[in-house]
Each structure stands twice: as structure tokens, then as C-alpha cells.
Amino acid sequence: MSKNQEIADLFEEMADLLELTGANAFRVNATRKVARTLEELPSDVGDMENDPKQITAIDGIGAGSAKRIIEYLQDDQIADLEALRSEVPTGLIQVLGVPGLGPKTVATLWKEANVTGLESLRKAIDRGALESLPRMGKKTVDNIRQSLDFVAAASTRYRLDQAMQEAESIVASLSSTPGVNKITYAGSLRRGRDTVGDVDIIATTSKPDALAERFTSLPEIAKVQAKGSTKCSIRRTSGLQVDLRMFKNVGYGAALLHFTGSKEHNVVLRQRAIDRGQRLSEYGLFEENDGDEPRLLEAESEENIYAALGLPWIPPPLREDRGEFVDQLPTLIEIKDIRSDLHSHTTASDGKLSIEEMAKAAKKRGLKVLAITDHSRSSFQANGLDVDRLKAHIDAIHEVNDNIKGITLLAGSEVDIHAEGNLDYEDDILAQLDIVVASPHMPVKQEPAAATKRLIRAVSHPLVNILGHPTARLINRRAGLEPDMAAVVAAATDSNTALEINANPMRLDLRDTHARLAMEGGCMISINTDAHGADQFDLLRYGIMTAQRGWVTADRCINTWTTAKLKKWIAAGRTS
DNA sequence: GCCGTTTTCGGCCCGACTGTTTTCAGTCG
């Protein structure tokens, strides 16, 4: 298992503790950057123990951090971190996570009021120890108390689909407000991240006060946190925070660009502007003007701002500072490219509709191919099919296929991958299917090495066409398997097996970074909804967003292929 | 702490809101 995440967590902790000691902010930032760099590093820093040069060659990691990384690899601890831990109560890191409390305030709370964690903060508030501190009035203390309650109650990030539903409903409610010209959501939601911390809405309007009024009096608001003429902030009863930014009827592109982020992407863009004697903010791209007011170069469209910075327009899912600042970007896959869904369920196992009803629902959405892949026998909780039921089911699918026009049905199965990597049906049964999706279900907790072995064995099976939801994670509920994904990708590439991006927003598995690995490793991708009913076909959009974040192109996704090409690929995979 | 075809030292992105202030610090995104 890669050491990257483990060490990244330590650097993140180090950054928090440094901040609390009042360390130089740039040093804190540099430490956080090391953490982020490690998180996204495709190779394992654990393999570089004997080669410091290899570590310092990584952008953002210098000699100091390399030394600490090697120290951890050899001694299992970092002396500087241990020193910080003994200096600063580690419970203060949770206090830093309370909205409204930053490093300066937390340090004051610690030194002046003996706050060492969430519990002692609560007690300090209750005994009135905070009011006497500098810049600490009644209102501030009240806000801290409320934030504390919120932290105790809420999970920190919201699933993409949950945030999307709230955002789309808010945008729809506000778009008819008098004066509003353009309005949309931005932020990590627009970038299609699998979870979002809050929702950012951008609007241009000639009457900001009217819009602010409407926004802060929407239904389902738990608290209005800020209300100004350019910015408002609310917390919904769901716990989700929504920020509204209002702009005059100019500069929509600059605003959208700024608030779409990511922060890391924006930092690079701004630096690029500075290198050209320019300045980029949410109001536009400006040119220095000999001490006079800077001159506005461009603000209306994202395309023009990028162009002025010498870049092509960068699609929001790519805006993560993960290599997107290049002259030529790939053409990302879109919903309209998708012709088939190769993972779906019917009443034969745990779906809600019959074969024919699913086929009609898929056809109605413009799909040309639908694979019916009900659960295999070991998934008894999902009414998985034993061999006799499966044989009858194959016949039933073929019969519906013979009688329906405009869509091709494939008789498949979502076959459980057992703990050791063996499959839930014998080969002679699998050979009777038109397509095989093999997925890990139980167990979902396994040592990384065992999980890697399990998945490699499954993708290497000649009768397996697609590896379904490879890690079996459930967002905000369980972490799932942690295989060496690069090794799984390599095995899948060798055996011509596609890796699935399961579009169900509870899964989004492969996740974005894994999809990117798959693209770089050369294996095929399959984007499927895993639909258990008609409305779940509409979840495809989330799978597409994840695919775009993984730099997936249409030609590498088997669901974009013609029926003939798809069938040929399935057949070819089975001869090996 | 990291970085560098103008630099191995001196920089490191920008602006709004809140709550406390009488001119601004801290936080957030």
C-alpha cells in the first residue's frame, strides 16, 4: 500500500500545529502543499527511501520536507512533528475546524483561556471565560457556540447529487428575481467533485438588494450568516452552506472563473497574470497602467480570459492544478457520446422493473444498448440468481430482445468477486452470458494487498468484460477497498477488461483520480448507472462528471461505441 | 518551507463581511 496518504496526513497535521504556534504563513502553506502533492502523487514515495533526489525532484517538495519524509520512512516518526505535538494540544486541531475560528483566535483561546479541545472550548464558553478576551464580544461568542453545535451535528461534506439538487432548485427560484441577468452555480459543484463542502452561486444583477432579500428569505434556511450587497451566505436546514455572489451586469466570466476554482487552479492563473504584468481577480484581468488605475483587459467570458493568458478554455472538471496548463487539452467525454448502459438490474434480483420495462426506459433515454446484469447467487441479500434462475433469465432477456425494436439487450450478470478473487459462477455458466460485469461486494474490508490480488485475479479472467465499482466504496459511509490501483489498471489493460465508473452518486467508483490512472495506464473505461429503476438512468450525469475529472475521452469509453464495435470487443476479450 | 534564463535572498493571490473597532484584525473562499 502506498505510503503517500499516510505521510500526507502527517504533513497536514504539521501545518495545523505550525499555524497554531504562529509560524510564518508561507511556511504553513508550503507544508500544506507538500501534503496535497503527496496525496495526488501517482508513484509511491515509500519506494524512494534511498533516493532523496527523487523526492526533491517532485514539484513542491524541497530538501526539508524530503528529509522529514525519509525520516518517517526509516524511523516511523518525524522529530519536528513530535516536538510540535508536545508543544501544542492536538485537540486544538478540531477547534480549528469550527467555522469562524482561525489560527489566531484558537491560539488566543488556548493561551488565554486554557482551551485545548472542543470539550474545553464548550466549558470555557459556559463559564463566560471568553468575553474578557480581546476582540471577543457577545456576538462572537454566540456565533462560536452555534458553530460548535453545527460541527457536533453535521457531516462536513455533502454528496454531489445532494448538493446539486439544492443548488439547482435555488438557482431556479432566484432566476426570475427582477434585475437578475445571469445566475448559475460555480465552485466544486461545477467542477463535479464527488463531494462538496458548500455551494457557490454567481449572479449578475442590476438590483443586488432585491436578490439578496430574496435569497435570504428562501424556504429551508436555518441561518442567515451574512447579508451584503455583493455577498450573502446562508445555511440550509440540511446543513449545507450556500454562498451567493452578486455582480453588476459586467464581468460574469471573471466572476464565474474565480468562484469555480479550484483555489489551486486560481493561484496558478493569477501567477501567470503577474508574470505578464497583469492582475487577475473576480472582477477581471487587468493590466498595470503606470501608477494610474489598472486598465481592464477582459472580464466578460472565461474563454477570453484564458485566451489572454495564452491558454485554451479549460473545462471546469480539469481545474485542479493537475497538469491542465498545457496548449492542447483532450476532448472530454460528454453525455451525448454515451450509447449504452452495461450494468442494470431488474425484479429478477433487487431492481424495481421488469426486463421489458427497463428496456423501454433505457430506449426512451436514447440508449441503443442495455445490458441486464442482475446479481449472482452469493448476493442473497439482493435476491441473487442461482444457476437455474440465471439460465431462465438469459432466455427471458433474449426473448424480450427479439421482440423490441430500437434497442439491443445483452444478457449479462453482475457476478460477485469472492475474497480470493474467484467468481460466483463456474466458467461454463459465464460463457453463456453476452457480457460479464464482475464486482466486489462482500467482503468490503480487506487488507490492501489482498484486495489488489482479488481484483487482479478478477480482471484477468478471460470471461470478465468489466470490473464493476472497483473499490465498493460508499461516499460518506464506508471507505471500501484500497487496492494498488495502478497494478489493477495494468492487469486490466493486459486482459482487455474495462474498469467501471459507477455513476451512482453514492459510489462514483472509480473515483476521479483512479479514472485518471486508468486513462494513463491505457485500459478501457465503462460508465454505467447500475440502474435499479427508470429514474436511475438519469444518474449518468454524475458518472460523466467523474469521468471528465479523470480526463476520460469518448474513444476510451466502451459505452460510446457502436453496437457492432462493442460486440466485437466483448468477443475478442473472451478468446484470450 | 519552496522557488529561481533577470534572483541562492526575498518574495510568496485577492477581496468582502463580521464584529469589533475609531481605522482594522481575523476569517473565509
Side-chain angles (χ1 to χ4, degrees):
Chain A
M1 183 57 188
S2 162
K3 286 273 184 189
N4 296 354
Q5 186 63 52
E6 191 179 330
I7 301 177
D9 290 345
L10 296 175
F11 273 81
E12 195 62 47
E13 182 185 354
M14 211 164 0
D16 284 340
L17 296 175
L18 277 170
E19 213 167 21
L20 290 169
T21 62
N24 178 312
F26 297 112
R27 185 179 164 198
V28 174
N29 272 342
T31 307
R32 285 201 201 288
K33 187 173 180 186
V34 172
R36 181 172 184 263
T37 302
L38 286 174
E39 271 178 8
E40 293 174 1
L41 194 67
S43 45
D44 184 358
V45 77
D47 295 337
M48 305 178 193
E49 185 175 328
N50 300 314
D51 193 359
K53 280 209 176 71
Q54 212 182 336
I55 301 180
T56 51
I58 301 165
D59 195 37
I61 304 183
S65 294
K67 187 179 131 283
R68 292 184 181 86
I69 290 169
I70 291 172
E71 186 186 346
Y72 180 73
L73 291 172
Q74 292 176 344
D75 304 341
D76 231 31
Q77 63 170 0
I78 301 171
D80 289 344
L81 175 58
E82 296 304 322
L84 281 167
R85 280 173 175 166
S86 62
E87 184 186 351
V88 183
T90 49
L92 289 181
I93 292 175
Q94 276 86 53
V95 181
L96 260 185
V98 176
L101 294 185
K104 293 277 171 28
T105 313
V106 175
T108 306
L109 291 172
W110 166 36
K111 285 170 182 157
E112 307 294 329
N114 289 321
V115 169
T116 56
L118 292 177
E119 200 50 40
S120 59
L121 171 59
R122 170 88 61 187
K123 283 179 183 157
I125 293 173
D126 290 345
R127 68 169 187 270
L130 265 48
E131 274 90 347
S132 59
L133 299 178
R135 303 191 69 85
M136 194 66 78
K138 183 174 179 306
K139 241 177 164 163
T140 304
V141 176
D142 268 356
N143 282 336
I144 295 174
R145 185 186 288 116
Q146 282 189 30
S147 294
L148 212 46
D149 291 341
F150 171 69
V151 168
S155 90
T156 48
R157 292 187 71 84
Y158 292 77
R159 277 199 337 244
L160 178 59
D161 58 316
Q162 298 169 326
M164 186 66 85
Q165 279 167 18
E166 298 212 33
E168 288 183 332
S169 117
I170 292 172
V171 167
S173 306
L174 296 181
S175 58
S176 59
T177 312
V180 169
N181 183 17
K182 291 176 178 156
I183 182 162
T184 188
Y185 56 83
S188 51
L189 186 61
R190 183 170 177 233
R191 302 201 310 279
R193 275 193 64 174
D194 51 12
T195 60
V196 307
D198 60 21
V199 169
D200 299 290
I201 294 175
I202 306 298
T204 57
T205 174
S206 56
K207 296 175 181 168
D209 293 337
L211 183 56
E213 192 54 43
R214 181 107 167 228
F215 177 66
T216 52
S217 48
L218 284 170
E220 294 182 55
I221 291 180
K223 187 174 195 296
V224 175
Q225 293 169 309
K227 184 179 176 185
S229 59
T230 65
K231 180 192 168 179
C232 297
S233 189
I234 60 170
R235 187 148 59 228
R236 304 264 288 172
T237 49
S238 65
L240 182 69
Q241 181 174 319
V242 184
D243 294 342
L244 170 67
R245 311 275 178 163
M246 293 168 286
F247 296 83
K248 301 278 167 52
N249 281 325
V250 292
Y252 179 70
L256 189 57
L257 178 63
H258 177 88
F259 288 106
T260 295
S262 65
K263 202 171 110 195
E264 290 80 4
H265 181 86
N266 286 353
V267 166
V268 175
L269 284 184
R270 291 214 189 91
Q271 190 55 51
R272 209 175 162 102
I274 290 168
D275 292 346
R276 295 163 173 250
Q278 300 164 342
R279 189 166 55 81
L280 179 64
S281 76
E282 61 263 53
Y283 299 107
L285 181 66
F286 298 88
E287 190 174 54
E288 298 305 337
N289 194 11
D290 292 334
D292 288 340
E293 282 288 292
R295 200 162 54 86
L296 178 66
L297 292 178
E298 179 57 48
E300 283 318 302
S301 83
E302 286 190 339
E303 283 83 353
N304 291 350
I305 295 173
Y306 278 112
L309 293 170
L311 291 165
W313 179 78
I314 300 176
L318 301 189
R319 299 182 191 172
E320 301 287 347
D321 189 19
R322 293 178 183 160
E324 68 270 28
F325 298 100
V326 290
D327 294 336
Q328 276 287 321
L329 288 165
T331 303
L332 300 177
I333 190 168
E334 295 178 40
I335 284 188
K336 67 174 172 54
D337 297 322
I338 297 292
R339 297 181 83 258
S340 63
D341 196 323
L342 303 175
H343 183 171
S344 70
H345 297 268
T346 69
T347 48
S349 60
D350 59 351
K352 291 195 179 69
L353 300 178
S354 68
I355 299 167
E356 190 175 359
E357 288 165 333
M358 284 297 278
K360 284 180 175 168
K363 185 178 158 186
K364 196 175 157 193
R365 283 162 176 79
L367 291 172
K368 304 296 183 198
V369 178
L370 176 68
I372 303 287
T373 55
D374 279 297
H375 287 284
S376 62
R377 56 187 169 190
S378 286
S379 281
F380 36 78
Q381 80 287 352
N383 193 23
L385 282 66
D386 62 26
V387 170
D388 288 340
R389 284 179 63 213
L390 177 62
K391 285 179 175 169
H393 196 43
I394 294 172
D395 291 342
I397 295 167
H398 286 159
E399 191 183 332
V400 175
N401 184 50
D402 290 342
N403 292 311
I404 193 167
K405 297 264 186 315
I407 188 165
T408 301
L409 294 187
L410 299 179
S413 172
E414 182 183 14
V415 184
D416 272 21
I417 304 170
H418 295 173
E420 304 296 318
N422 48 320
L423 301 179
D424 204 18
Y425 293 124
E426 303 302 325
D427 287 1
D428 64 319
I429 303 298
L430 296 176
Q432 295 177 38
L433 293 160
D434 299 329
I435 187 168
V436 172
V437 178
S439 305
H441 290 108
M442 298 301 282
V444 293
K445 272 190 176 176
Q446 208 171 16
E447 282 299 311
T452 305
K453 215 172 144 188
R454 177 187 187 186
L455 296 185
I456 286 180
R457 186 170 166 200
V459 297
S460 303
H461 192 296
L463 293 173
V464 171
N465 305 112
I466 298 171
L467 175 63
H469 52 68
T471 74
R473 73 158 174 174
L474 290 178
I475 292 171
N476 282 349
R477 279 171 56 196
R478 71 172 182 229
L481 304 173
E482 295 178 2
D484 176 348
M485 196 53 80
V488 175
V489 166
T493 307
D494 279 349
S495 60
N496 214 20
T497 301
L499 300 190
E500 178 181 75
I501 295 175
N502 191 294
N504 189 306
M506 285 171 23
R507 295 190 182 273
L508 295 179
D509 177 19
L510 303 171
R511 69 192 67 188
D512 53 2
T513 50
H514 287 161
R516 181 88 181 268
L517 270 182
M519 284 302 290
E520 286 169 353
C523 79
M524 291 300 160
I525 302 281
S526 183
I527 306 173
N528 302 306
T529 63
D530 195 355
H532 286 65
D535 52 348
Q536 291 191 349
F537 284 117
D538 301 330
L539 301 177
L540 177 62
R541 62 189 297 205
Y542 301 114
I544 294 290
M545 285 179 176
T546 300
Q548 291 177 336
R549 292 178 60 80
W551 295 53
V552 175
T553 53
D555 58 317
R556 288 283 295 281
C557 174
I558 64 173
N559 305 71
T560 69
W561 295 349
T562 62
T563 312
K565 184 174 177 183
L566 179 65
K567 282 184 167 175
K568 198 174 160 190
W569 177 80
I570 292 170
R574 298 184 147 201
T575 55
S576 51

